[in-house]
Amino acid sequence: MAGSIVPMSESMLARGVFGPLGGVVEVGAVNATGSWSVPDVSVGRFLDDRSEDVGRLLSAVRSVCRFSDSGMAVVDELGRLRDHEVPAAFLLLWSAGVTGVPEPLEKLEEPALVRRMCRMAADLQLTLLLQALVTAAVAAGTEADRGAEQIAEVLTIACALADPSGGSTPGLVFRMWRVAHLPGILRPESDAPDEGKAGFRAYDEILDQLLGVS
């Protein structure tokens, strides 16, 4: 809930991270086709071509969020980092249904609409991923001086996965996150604990510096 930092289990924190990451991967696999034709999508090939980057991303997530083997196992439970189909309906879900459901339904697979959904989905899921990473890092007690660098690494890799053409950048995602999530947590009337607020402020300040936003 906006404005609250509710205590969560490791499993919930991990799902908060790996859910949006799954959306990032699926959107990236669609964008990588260059045709925005759903039948052309191969998540397996997309991940195979970027296996080293995905490995570095997962290693950094584990470190900054301090996830155990059980927490990291959520990746396999969700099944987003292995080969699977990506129907257009998934893109509608990842983009929060902003485009609406067209009539007839087959129009959902038109390349122009698929591309638009991918753009919105990349923005939304990358922003949610950053929020989940900072939340998990603060919950784990990872100091911002160290954790922010790892989060920046994860975000940089995730942006490259989401849009191989460079349309998604860490700085842009950070700015979207800062206006979409921080006000609710840091406003004076927020019921977030002071320690949590201090953690989010610290990550905001250091990520701002690392990503060269200011």
Side-chain angles (χ1 to χ4, degrees):
M1 180 182 297
S4 298
I5 302 178
V6 180
M8 292 184 284
S9 66
E10 181 187 53
S11 176
M12 290 179 64
L13 290 168
R15 287 179 180 275
V17 171
F18 296 129
L21 179 60
V24 165
V25 167
E26 291 184 356
V27 168
V30 176
N31 278 328
T33 66
S35 64
W36 292 276
S37 174
V38 174
D40 294 342
V41 178
S42 173
V43 174
R45 184 170 61 247
F46 178 78
L47 290 171
D48 286 345
D49 291 345
R50 297 159 178 82
S51 59
E52 290 186 7
D53 289 337
V54 173
R56 287 193 299 112
L57 182 151
L58 292 176
S59 178
V61 166
R62 179 166 196 158
S63 179
V64 71
C65 300
R66 299 185 183 178
F67 287 156
S68 65
D69 289 345
S70 177
M72 295 301 294
V74 171
V75 174
D76 293 328
E77 292 175 14
L78 295 177
R80 301 296 183 181
L81 298 190
R82 56 175 177 263
D83 194 29
H84 60 277
E85 293 184 359
V86 183
F90 282 15
L91 301 175
L92 185 67
L93 174 66
W94 294 127
S95 60
V98 172
T99 61
V101 180
E103 293 289 346
L105 187 59
E106 288 73 21
K107 287 187 175 182
L108 198 62
E109 295 190 2
E110 291 183 354
L113 183 54
V114 168
R115 186 173 186 176
R116 184 166 178 244
M117 288 191 293
C118 282
R119 176 68 272 163
M120 290 184 288
D123 288 345
L124 178 57
Q125 299 308 317
L126 286 166
T127 304
L128 290 173
L129 175 61
L130 179 53
Q131 170 66 6
L133 287 168
V134 177
T135 298
V138 170
T142 304
E143 293 294 333
D145 288 340
R146 178 178 69 85
E149 291 188 3
Q150 293 174 312
I151 288 179
E153 179 183 15
V154 172
L155 189 59
T156 299
I157 296 171
C159 284
L161 291 174
D163 191 346
S165 72
S168 297
T169 66
L172 176 60
V173 174
F174 171 78
R175 291 175 63 186
M176 291 189 292
W177 166 75
R178 186 164 58 184
V179 299
H181 293 277
L182 279 189
I185 294 171
L186 300 182
R187 57 187 169 84
E189 64 271 25
S190 166
D191 60 1
D194 290 342
E195 183 178 0
K197 289 182 178 181
F200 272 80
R201 282 197 173 96
Y203 272 95
D204 169 57
E205 181 179 353
I206 298 176
L207 283 169
D208 188 303
Q209 296 170 1
L210 289 174
L211 299 176
V213 173
S214 295

